Amino acid sequence: MQEKINTNILIGILICLILIALKPFPQNNEPVFPPSVSESVVQLAENRIAIVETETNSGLRGDIIVLEFNEDRKTFEPIGRYNYLDFFTNPGKYNF
């Protein structure tokens, strides 16, 4: 009697394992992009912000883009673009 119960339990477990193994996986064809954490937004003044690019493999690495908010248009307008890596690697160029 005990052997019959054990056999039925093992058969049930085997059927469950087969169902799990044959379960279809959902197809997701969308590319997976890592989250972008390479930019930082810093407030410089009341109407002025800077976007700093820090991604190592980016073509914009070291760039700081300064924007000023235009109250009339309700948009940010670019003021300047600077490269802080160039500043640290060539301080003589900036009279330091």
Side-chain angles (χ1 to χ4, degrees), residues 45-58:
E46 186 176 331
N47 292 349
R48 202 171 277 190
I49 64 170
I51 302 172
V52 182
E53 174 65 44
T54 59
E55 176 67 35
T56 305
N57 296 324
S58 171

